Amino acid sequence: MLTRSGRGYRSPESQKGEIELRQLFGLENFGVPGHGTKHQTEENIMGAKGEALAKQFEAKAQEAAAVLEKLSAADWKKVTEAEKWSVGVTAHHLAGSYERVPDIATGLAAGQSFGNFTRKILDERNAQHAKEFAGCTKEETLALHRKGAAKAASVVRGFSDEQLAKRGILFTDAPPMTVEQLIMGALIDHTDEHYGSIRKTVSK
């Protein structure tokens, strides 16, 4: 995955498709064409991998929601060592990514171009989000988390194996990646990364 959190860049090849999309805000204009199969039997055969990925993501998202629900007001304001954001901003960032990553994955599967999108722009989006949502509440973040997780799971579940294997360029200054690599990194590993950081922060 393209992990970009101020600690260096790792290519999808070297990190088995990890992707950190904490700044992918502003890509809402990409269309979300239908990507399910027309026949249930074909979907059962071709979408087995999508179903497995969706279940894996749902488990991660549910675990994260359980942590989020238990955060105290004091926990919410603590600053994480990894992201250098408050716990609240970190949680809101992840919840927001659940809304956007499915659209990006759908675009990647359809061969859409993301324009001249670079890692520098990704960093700028990250900083912008942290400022804009510095005052986010636990209630709104939890609602966004649940809504986004449901959307992401539904989209991932609809991908065929062929779509998951589709490779394209997300960042112009980084190697191409597959839709499956994007899902693994931007949804599954992304959740582990940020909630691992949150757990570490609130346990101090």
Side-chain angles (χ1 to χ4, degrees), residues 11 77 151:
S11 72
K77 297 178 181 179
K151 173 182 175 178

Side-chain angles (χ1 to χ4, degrees), residues 37-116:
T37 55
K38 294 182 179 180
H39 303 290
Q40 186 63 34
T41 54
E42 182 180 355
E43 181 177 348
N44 288 341
I45 295 171
M46 297 183 65
K49 185 175 291 185
E51 175 67 24
L53 287 170
K55 287 183 177 179
Q56 187 177 357
F57 166 68
E58 285 173 328
K60 298 290 185 181
Q62 288 169 6
E63 290 175 7
V67 173
L68 179 54
E69 288 175 340
K70 296 177 182 179
L71 294 174
S72 67
D75 289 336
W76 197 253
K77 297 178 181 179
K78 291 180 179 178
V79 176
T80 65
E81 181 178 347
E83 296 85 359
K84 308 301 182 185
W85 302 332
S86 69
V87 165
V89 166
T90 303
H92 192 279
H93 154 68
L94 182 66
S97 73
Y98 286 173
E99 283 282 338
R100 291 167 174 80
V101 170
D103 296 352
I104 297 166
T106 300
L108 195 64
Q112 291 183 12
S113 171
F114 292 85
N116 187 29

Side-chain angles (χ1 to χ4, degrees), residues 33-201:
H35 44 261
T37 55
K38 294 182 179 180
H39 303 290
Q40 186 63 34
T41 54
E42 182 180 355
E43 181 177 348
N44 288 341
I45 295 171
M46 297 183 65
K49 185 175 291 185
E51 175 67 24
L53 287 170
K55 287 183 177 179
Q56 187 177 357
F57 166 68
E58 285 173 328
K60 298 290 185 181
Q62 288 169 6
E63 290 175 7
V67 173
L68 179 54
E69 288 175 340
K70 296 177 182 179
L71 294 174
S72 67
D75 289 336
W76 197 253
K77 297 178 181 179
K78 291 180 179 178
V79 176
T80 65
E81 181 178 347
E83 296 85 359
K84 308 301 182 185
W85 302 332
S86 69
V87 165
V89 166
T90 303
H92 192 279
H93 154 68
L94 182 66
S97 73
Y98 286 173
E99 283 282 338
R100 291 167 174 80
V101 170
D103 296 352
I104 297 166
T106 300
L108 195 64
Q112 291 183 12
S113 171
F114 292 85
N116 187 29
F117 196 76
T118 66
R119 289 171 289 161
K120 180 180 179 181
I121 294 174
L122 183 115
D123 286 336
E124 292 171 349
R125 297 268 171 86
N126 172 57
Q128 180 182 344
H129 172 268
K131 291 179 180 178
E132 290 182 356
F133 294 94
C136 63
T137 67
K138 175 180 172 179
E139 290 71 23
E140 69 182 86
T141 302
L142 185 57
L144 183 64
H145 180 104
R146 287 171 172 162
K147 179 182 177 182
K151 173 182 175 178
S154 177
V155 171
V156 171
R157 190 166 271 115
F159 283 129
S160 68
D161 289 358
E162 182 180 1
Q163 288 172 314
L164 289 169
K166 180 75 174 181
R167 184 179 297 271
I169 295 175
L170 180 57
F171 299 108
T172 56
D173 59 347
M177 70 186 70
T178 65
V179 174
E180 182 177 359
Q181 286 175 329
L182 176 61
I183 291 167
M184 281 299 302
L187 292 177
I188 297 171
D189 294 342
H190 195 199
T191 301
D192 280 342
E193 177 183 356
H194 288 307
Y195 271 85
S197 176
I198 287 173
R199 287 187 181 96
K200 182 179 179 180
T201 301

